Amino acid sequence: MDRWRDLDEPIIGFDYQWGFEYKIVVALTHSEPADESAKPTWTLVEVLSKERVAPETTFELKSWAKLDRPLTSILRPSGIRKFHLMNELAFSADHAIASQLHLVRSHNADVTIRFRHGHEDMPRAIGLTVDGMAVPTLSAWAIVLMAVFLATAALILSPRRKHLHLN
């Protein structure tokens, strides 16, 4: 029995709502053996549970460049730091991640986006990996800048040492 499968078509009768986790039972119907071009259909049988996802819960979406419809082909900007996936998932991102998301849309790349559910209906992209390389977030840049600032301040404010030369 399969526990997870990507589907090409929606589940008939299932009205998914963003921000909920579902456990469902579905039926798989195959078409007549003579029609090999027809795809199987999935029909909702029963919703076993529907629970709201807790704020701050994280999840990832992964996409590989070799897919027929990679994530980069279904990513649409809806503002400077706002995006839509498949016209379903609206999300926001900090400046560093948003800039990279705008760039990956034009490339065929393996992409992983890490999201955090918020207190609103819109999740936030909190991490991005492109072809195995993590993209620094603003918080990562802030840590680097703070380290540079502290090192510079330590050099400037440290007491000057006098060197005695004895002949």
Side-chain angles (χ1 to χ4, degrees):
M1 176 181 193
D2 291 334
R3 295 189 54 79
W4 179 262
R5 179 182 292 185
D6 290 331
L7 303 177
D8 293 328
E9 302 295 325
I11 298 169
I12 298 168
F14 181 56
D15 183 25
Y16 173 78
Q17 290 179 299
W18 173 252
F20 289 89
E21 185 176 283
Y22 294 86
K23 289 184 183 176
I24 61 174
V25 177
V26 296
L28 173 63
T29 306
H30 294 281
S31 60
E32 295 295 322
D35 187 5
E36 295 177 12
S37 65
K39 295 180 180 180
T41 58
W42 298 88
T43 306
L44 179 68
V45 173
E46 180 182 3
V47 175
L48 300 174
S49 67
K50 176 183 174 183
E51 297 179 18
R52 182 166 289 282
V53 177
E56 306 304 315
T57 300
T58 60
F59 66 98
E60 289 184 346
L61 289 179
K62 294 183 181 190
S63 177
W64 294 271
K66 63 185 176 192
L67 294 175
D68 289 338
R69 289 187 64 205
L71 188 138
T72 53
S73 72
I74 56 174
L75 178 67
R76 301 285 178 257
S78 60
I80 296 172
R81 297 188 306 196
K82 294 190 180 190
F83 298 87
H84 278 88
L85 282 172
M86 298 173 30
N87 295 324
E88 291 183 22
L89 172 61
F91 68 94
S92 63
D94 71 24
H95 182 70
I97 292 174
S99 296
Q100 291 301 312
L101 286 171
H102 283 287
L103 290 174
V104 298
R105 288 185 57 241
S106 61
H107 299 311
N108 199 12
D110 294 341
V111 175
T112 300
I113 306 175
R114 185 169 181 80
F115 295 93
R116 176 178 291 131
H117 281 276
H119 299 283
E120 311 153 8
D121 288 337
M122 184 181 291
R124 183 171 186 80
I126 58 170
L128 176 65
T129 304
V130 178
D131 287 332
M133 302 278 299
V135 173
T137 62
L138 280 183
S139 55
W141 286 113
I143 291 170
V144 169
L145 289 174
M146 181 60 86
V148 169
F149 172 76
L150 291 174
T152 304
L155 287 174
I156 293 171
L157 299 176
S158 66
R160 306 221 183 243
R161 297 184 183 166
K162 295 182 180 178
H163 298 282
L164 298 175
H165 296 285
L166 299 174
N167 289 331

